[in-house]
């Protein structure tokens, strides 16, 4: 995609002081709540009927993948459950690839395992999606999530399948094309990360809060299936990924309208109005906001982060200025859980209240695995007020450019959603990698 920020902006981003290293993740996600790991996954295909996928009506039946990556075993398996022979492992500074010999009717195949190589914690296991491709197909596989709704699979923004299985073979991919695949679903959040208000709501309704889950994989479809051609494709992808110096996730909230009234419980209610941000979704750095949490991972080592709260301005309904005050940012945090030159596991928490209101707050969180190549996995949820936007950016030094796309956008529902359990939480989704 085309760069969306100036070189000066890129330099400013790169110059973020590394002294702002990640701090310990607070236990409280929201008032009285706990922030735990993302939803506990199950073994590949378990409880989901892997291989029994059915696409949406327009697409017909979707075959399961011939090569499926096992998140538990850390390797590809065939439909027969055996490991295909690896002709060559291509482990670069920024990516991991394997050239598979091929089995049955399938010729030699290139497998991309950069995101899948994230082993270790439960958070990391949830991220272990992978792809395998030659000039005839693209195989996708991802970890199962306990209790998940049907998975939706997109190619370059177009829905190509809705399915219960955890793998898919796409035979419509174009040789030589660079395509972005997304897999999205929602599932019940584990009880370990429920807030007190969510626990109270569960006791009344029996309905658990949901998390969103999204895997994003960038696939360079090979032009043919000769091993030499597959190796060239892997080396080209490595060269492209190595250009990225850093990756940034920016999580912002803002009030879309010019003015908003405060609900009962605030100091200024009847006869007063509060200034909003008067804007829509934007990737620009300098846009007005209520909260801004920005974290950067440097692929040569280190990270930095910062948080900012927009000042609250109060006016009489006739437009006369009354007061202004800035809420505390002490409950906002960005933490790097693990990191190497290829990928990083990160967590972000956003929470801030109206300084003139004793109750109600903006809040949300995400867990993410980001890769240098632009692949990622993200899971999380947030309150449905105000608007939320998450932006992912990759910065290159040569040429000096920043490639930016929305990761998640959600419009506000109602000011009452600031008061749990007035509204169910919204799940964090995805709009594509850079």
């Amino acid at each position: 995609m085309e760069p969306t920020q100036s070189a000066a902006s890129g330099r400013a981003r790169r110059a973020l002081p590394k002294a702002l290293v990640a701090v310990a993740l607070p236990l409280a996600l929201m008032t009285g709540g706990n922030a735990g790991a993302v939803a506990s996954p199950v073994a590949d295909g378990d409880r989901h009927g892997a291989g029994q996928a059915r696409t949406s009506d327009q697409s017909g039946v979707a075959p399961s993948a011939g090569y499926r990556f096992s998140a538990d075993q850390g390797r590809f398996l065939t439909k027969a459950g055996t490991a295909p022979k690896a002709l060559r492992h291509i482990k670069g500074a920024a990516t991991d690839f394997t050239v598979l010999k091929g089995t049955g009717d399938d010729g030699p195949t290139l497998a991309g395992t950069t995101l899948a190589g994230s082993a270790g914690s439960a958070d990391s296991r949830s991220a272990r999606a992978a792809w395998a491709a030659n000039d005839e197909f693209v195989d996708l596989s991802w970890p199962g999530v306990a209790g998940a709704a049907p998975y939706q699979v997109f190619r370059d923004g177009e829905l190509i399948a809705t399915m219960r299985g955890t793998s898919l073979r796409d035979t419509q991919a174009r040789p030589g094309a660079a395509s972005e695949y997304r897999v999205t679903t929602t599932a019940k959040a584990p009880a370990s990360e429920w807030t007190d208000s969510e626990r109270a709501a569960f006791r009344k309704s029996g309905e658990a809060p949901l998390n969103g889950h999204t895997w994003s994989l960038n696939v360079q479809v090979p032009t043919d299936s000769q091993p030499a051609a597959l190796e060239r494709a892997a080396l080209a992808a490595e060269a492209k990924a190595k250009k990225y110096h850093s990756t940034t996730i920016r999580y912002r909230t803002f009030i879309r309208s010019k003015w908003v009234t405060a609900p009962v419980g605030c100091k200024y209610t009847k006869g007063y109005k509060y200034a909003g941000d008067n804007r829509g979704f934007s990737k620009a750095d300098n846009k007005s906001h209520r909260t801004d949490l920005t974290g950067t991972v440097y692929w040569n080592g280190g990270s930095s982060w910062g948080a900012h709260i927009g000042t609250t301005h109060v006016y009489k309904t006739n437009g006369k200025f009354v007061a202004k005050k800035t809420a505390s940012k002490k409950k906002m945090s960005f933490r790097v859980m693990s990191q190497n030159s290829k990928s990083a596991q990160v967590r972000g928490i956003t929470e801030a209240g109206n300084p003139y209101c004793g109750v109600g707050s903006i809040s949300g969180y995400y867990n993410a695995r980001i890769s240098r190549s632009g692949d990622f996995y993200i899971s999380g949820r947030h309150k449905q007020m105000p608007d939320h936007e998450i932006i992912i950016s990759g910065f290159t030094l040569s040429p000096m450019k920043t490639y930016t796309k929305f990761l998640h956008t959600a419009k506000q529902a109602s000011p009452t959603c600031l008061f749990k359990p007035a509204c169910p939480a919204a799940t964090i989704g995805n709009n594509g990698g850079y």
Side-chain angles (χ1 to χ4, degrees):
M1 60 176 286
E2 293 301 317
T4 57
Q5 298 175 328
S6 66
S9 175
R11 285 191 293 272
R13 184 185 301 282
R14 182 164 56 95
L16 285 170
K18 293 192 178 183
L20 291 173
V21 295
V23 299
L25 184 72
L27 290 178
L29 167 62
M30 305 168 192
T31 304
N34 294 322
V38 293
S40 302
V42 295
D44 299 45
D46 289 355
R47 306 182 198 174
H48 297 287
Q52 304 301 316
R54 184 169 295 275
T55 64
S56 53
D57 293 341
Q58 306 95 303
S59 305
V61 176
S64 59
Y67 299 102
R68 177 178 58 84
F69 187 85
S70 169
D72 294 317
Q73 298 184 35
R75 61 177 179 170
F76 275 94
L77 300 174
T78 66
K79 286 185 176 181
T82 59
K85 181 178 180 180
L87 297 178
R88 183 181 176 188
H89 295 288
I90 306 172
K91 293 186 177 295
T95 58
D96 287 335
F97 292 97
T98 300
V99 177
L100 304 176
K101 182 179 180 181
T103 59
D105 295 332
D106 297 334
T109 301
L110 180 65
T113 58
T114 305
L115 196 63
S118 55
S121 67
D123 284 1
S124 296
R125 186 201 177 281
S126 299
R128 303 188 79 181
W131 58 268
N134 61 25
D135 58 338
E136 295 184 350
F137 62 83
V138 172
D139 279 351
L140 307 172
S141 53
W142 56 93
V145 178
Y151 300 94
Q152 291 188 308
V153 184
F154 299 80
R155 184 203 318 115
D156 298 326
E158 178 184 358
L159 179 66
I160 62 173
T162 299
M163 55 194 298
R164 287 284 181 182
T166 56
S167 73
L168 169 73
R169 169 159 289 190
D170 179 15
T171 58
Q172 303 302 312
R174 181 170 54 86
S179 292
E180 186 250 337
Y181 287 86
R182 287 186 285 126
V183 181
T184 67
T185 192
T186 58
K188 293 179 180 179
S192 61
E193 64 176 42
W194 294 0
T195 65
D196 283 352
S197 57
E198 286 171 338
R199 294 179 196 280
F202 178 77
R203 286 193 292 268
K204 292 181 179 179
S205 68
E207 295 183 4
L210 299 177
N211 273 346
H213 299 265
T214 297
W215 298 263
S216 176
L217 297 169
N218 295 299
V219 178
Q220 180 63 54
V221 184
T223 55
D224 64 55
S225 58
Q226 295 300 314
L230 300 179
E231 290 184 23
R232 286 194 298 271
L235 294 174
E238 165 70 11
K240 180 179 179 180
K242 280 181 65 177
K243 290 183 178 181
Y244 286 101
H245 167 266
S246 60
T247 296
T248 295
I249 297 181
R250 167 167 272 172
Y251 185 179
R252 290 190 298 210
T253 65
F254 61 93
I255 297 174
R256 178 173 293 267
S257 58
K258 186 175 182 179
W259 303 103
V260 65
T261 56
V264 176
C266 298
K267 181 177 180 179
Y268 300 100
T269 53
K270 187 177 181 180
Y272 297 91
K273 60 183 180 180
Y274 293 75
D277 297 294
N278 193 29
R279 72 172 180 91
F281 299 119
S282 175
K283 297 189 288 285
D285 284 342
N286 59 350
K287 287 296 183 178
S288 177
H289 55 266
R290 297 302 87 211
T291 64
D292 184 341
L293 176 66
T294 300
T296 299
V297 172
Y298 301 95
W299 294 117
N300 290 328
S303 63
S304 63
W305 73 281
H308 183 265
I309 305 291
T311 301
T312 299
H313 293 81
V314 185
Y315 295 80
K316 290 268 193 177
T317 52
N318 63 9
K320 183 180 179 180
F321 173 74
V322 176
K324 66 177 181 178
K325 194 174 183 180
T326 303
S328 171
K329 60 182 179 182
K330 65 181 181 180
K331 291 185 178 181
M332 298 178 66
S333 65
F334 175 85
R335 184 182 181 188
V336 177
M337 312 300 293
S338 63
Q339 177 182 352
N340 55 39
S341 67
K342 302 173 184 180
S343 66
Q345 183 79 24
V346 299
R347 289 180 179 173
I349 291 178
T350 260
E351 183 174 3
N354 184 321
Y356 296 110
C357 301
V359 293
S361 66
I362 297 169
S363 62
Y365 88 105
Y366 66 82
N367 289 290
R369 165 69 63 173
I370 56 176
S371 76
R372 192 170 182 175
S373 64
D375 297 346
F376 63 84
Y377 162 75
I378 189 166
S379 174
R381 65 186 186 275
H382 60 76
K383 287 184 180 180
Q384 295 192 64
M385 178 70 188
D387 283 36
H388 290 245
E389 62 185 13
I390 304 179
I391 301 156
I392 187 167
S393 303
F395 175 69
T396 64
L397 290 174
S398 181
M400 189 172 286
K401 295 179 181 178
T402 300
Y403 300 83
T404 303
K405 290 189 77 173
F406 284 116
L407 189 156
H408 170 73
T409 56
K411 288 186 178 181
Q412 66 187 38
S414 164
T416 59
C417 292
L418 293 175
F419 302 88
K420 280 188 172 287
C423 303
T427 56
I428 288 178
N430 155 259
N431 290 316
Y434 54 78

